[in-house]
Amino acid sequence: MASHRRPKQPSRTRVTVLTATAAAAVALTSQTAQADPKPTKTEVKAKVDKLYHEAEAATEKYNGAKERQETLKEEVDNLQDKVARGQGELNDLRGELGSVASAQYRTGGIDPSMQLFLSADPDNFLDKAGALDQLSGKQAEALQKVKAKQRTLAQQRTEATDKLDDLEDVRKELGDKKQKFQGKLAEAQKLLNTLTAAERAKMQEKEQRASRAAGDRVELGNEAPASQRGAAALSAAATQQGKPYVSGATGPNSYDCSGLTQWAYAQAGVSITRTTFTQHADGTKIGKSELKPGDLVFFNNLAHVGLYAGNNQILHAPKPGAVVRYESMDYMGTFQFGVRI
């Protein structure tokens, strides 16, 4: 009779080793399948440029909120000054009203007919009676002034309270906008950090070459400006070449895109608003074929603005890490329209 032996069971140590090896292999395979390939330098640059455009749009919105904050703060201060002055005027009116009441009280509360009966000099009494009537008229007038001033003060206090609420909302919005553009810049830097030191150096060298080339003589053609103020603004901006782009900066040491255009037109004696989202309404919109030197040119859903310089070139503050320079419109992204100031 054949004997039936039970198959030999693998040792616990062997099972553990095999299990761990299999798990590691599965994990490695899974990681390999899930891991994204490292982006190329070209892909990183494209993503970084996109983030810079998004950061610039957020910066312009931040600038707009900051401008509203400054306007509201000025309005609140003016209203609070008016309320303080109005309270002083109300106190003076109340003082006048008190003087009138005191004078009336001193005439006595005796019935006029009894005063006439008791008076040794009827003519003198009639003079006093006329003065009493005049005094009552002044009292009524003083009362009306007090009531009107109280209404005005109540309106001003309500308006000041509303403005303070608006100011608080804008301050919160300002914080959100700042956080957004700073986040975009941080994300761009994180992407740049995925490159090797050599790749980053090569990108930086290319950017520096672009900035140096912008400092060289640029062929702008001989297009005539549409106006003297446009020519003056462009000429002023040209003196700022080489100065760095800084988010929120309006000169004279650094600029963002709309900060440069606002500064340039201020040198020409023209006041324009602060951001791309408002500057587009500061003049007359024109098409690309109508552009003349000194016109404002807008790109990428109003996220960027520069000054048209002629021969398809613009003069602008490009992006973080760059300086004020001339650049072909072909590299600016989506053209929106021009604006003639």
Side-chain angles (χ1 to χ4, degrees):
M1 185 174 180
S3 63
H4 298 281
R5 292 183 180 180
R6 183 177 296 175
K8 186 178 180 180
Q9 297 295 324
S11 69
R12 182 175 297 176
T13 302
R14 179 178 172 80
V15 169
T16 303
V17 169
L18 289 172
T19 303
T21 303
V26 169
L28 183 60
T29 303
S30 175
Q31 287 175 3
T32 304
Q34 292 178 1
D36 293 329
K38 183 181 176 181
T40 66
K41 187 177 72 172
T42 302
E43 289 171 336
V44 167
K45 185 180 184 309
K47 289 179 181 178
V48 166
D49 285 344
K50 183 175 183 293
L51 285 167
Y52 280 157
H53 286 315
E54 291 172 355
E56 191 167 39
T59 296
E60 290 301 310
K61 289 177 180 177
Y62 167 83
N63 291 338
K66 188 172 179 62
E67 192 174 41
R68 288 200 304 278
Q69 180 193 37
E70 290 168 357
T71 300
L72 280 170
K73 180 70 168 60
E74 186 176 349
E75 290 175 357
V76 166
D77 289 344
N78 289 338
L79 279 169
Q80 289 176 334
D81 286 344
K82 284 182 181 178
V83 167
R85 287 196 303 271
Q87 186 62 56
E89 291 168 3
L90 179 60
N91 292 339
D92 291 342
L93 287 171
R94 283 173 172 162
E96 291 175 13
L97 185 59
S99 298
V100 170
S102 298
Q104 191 176 47
Y105 176 78
R106 285 195 298 271
T107 64
I110 303 174
D111 183 79
S113 57
M114 183 62 69
Q115 289 185 38
L116 179 60
F117 178 77
L118 296 173
S119 175
D121 185 352
D123 290 335
N124 184 47
F125 168 77
L126 291 174
D127 289 339
K128 288 181 179 179
L132 184 63
D133 288 340
Q134 187 178 1
L135 199 62
S136 299
K138 286 182 179 179
Q139 186 181 32
E141 183 182 352
L143 276 170
Q144 290 301 319
K145 286 181 179 179
V146 167
K147 288 179 181 177
K149 182 56 69 176
Q150 285 175 328
R151 283 194 299 269
T152 300
L153 270 177
Q155 290 171 354
Q156 288 174 340
R157 285 194 175 106
T158 299
E159 189 178 352
T161 300
D162 292 343
K163 292 284 185 188
L164 282 169
D165 290 341
D166 291 343
L167 184 58
E168 184 58 31
D169 290 342
V170 169
R171 280 176 177 155
K172 289 178 182 176
E173 182 187 355
L174 200 60
D176 293 341
K177 296 285 188 288
K178 186 173 185 178
Q179 188 176 22
K180 186 172 182 178
F181 80 72
Q182 287 179 336
K184 294 290 182 184
L185 293 177
E187 193 177 345
Q189 187 58 54
K190 187 177 178 181
L191 264 175
L192 288 171
N193 290 342
T194 64
L195 299 175
T196 66
E199 287 173 329
R200 288 197 300 272
K202 195 169 183 179
M203 283 182 66
Q204 187 175 10
E205 182 184 350
K206 187 176 180 181
E207 185 61 45
Q208 287 173 345
R209 280 202 309 270
S211 295
R212 284 197 301 269
D216 298 336
R217 181 168 177 79
V218 179
E219 184 54 54
L220 301 176
N222 56 359
E223 298 175 47
S227 68
Q228 185 58 42
R229 56 182 175 273
L234 180 59
S235 179
T239 66
Q240 303 305 292
Q241 288 182 79
K243 292 189 177 179
Y245 176 102
V246 173
S247 294
T250 57
N253 298 318
S254 57
Y255 301 89
D256 62 17
C257 66
S258 57
L260 176 65
T261 51
Q262 185 188 47
W263 180 89
Y265 265 96
Q267 310 317 300
V270 181
S271 176
I272 63 174
T273 51
R274 173 63 185 91
T275 76
T276 55
F277 298 110
T278 53
Q279 286 182 4
H280 74 90
D282 286 341
T284 304
K285 287 185 175 61
I286 54 177
K288 193 172 185 179
S289 63
E290 302 171 88
L291 290 173
K292 297 290 184 184
D295 290 335
L296 299 180
V297 276
F298 293 85
F299 301 89
N300 305 321
N301 295 319
L302 301 179
H304 189 70
V305 65
L307 290 154
Y308 183 68
N311 195 31
N312 201 43
Q313 300 284 321
I314 69 166
L315 182 56
H316 68 145
K319 60 185 178 181
V323 298
V324 174
R325 68 192 187 200
Y326 290 103
E327 199 158 357
S328 170
M329 288 175 62
D330 296 338
Y331 301 116
M332 298 312 304
T334 305
F335 173 79
Q336 300 294 134
F337 45 73
V339 168
R340 184 159 296 155
I341 302 298

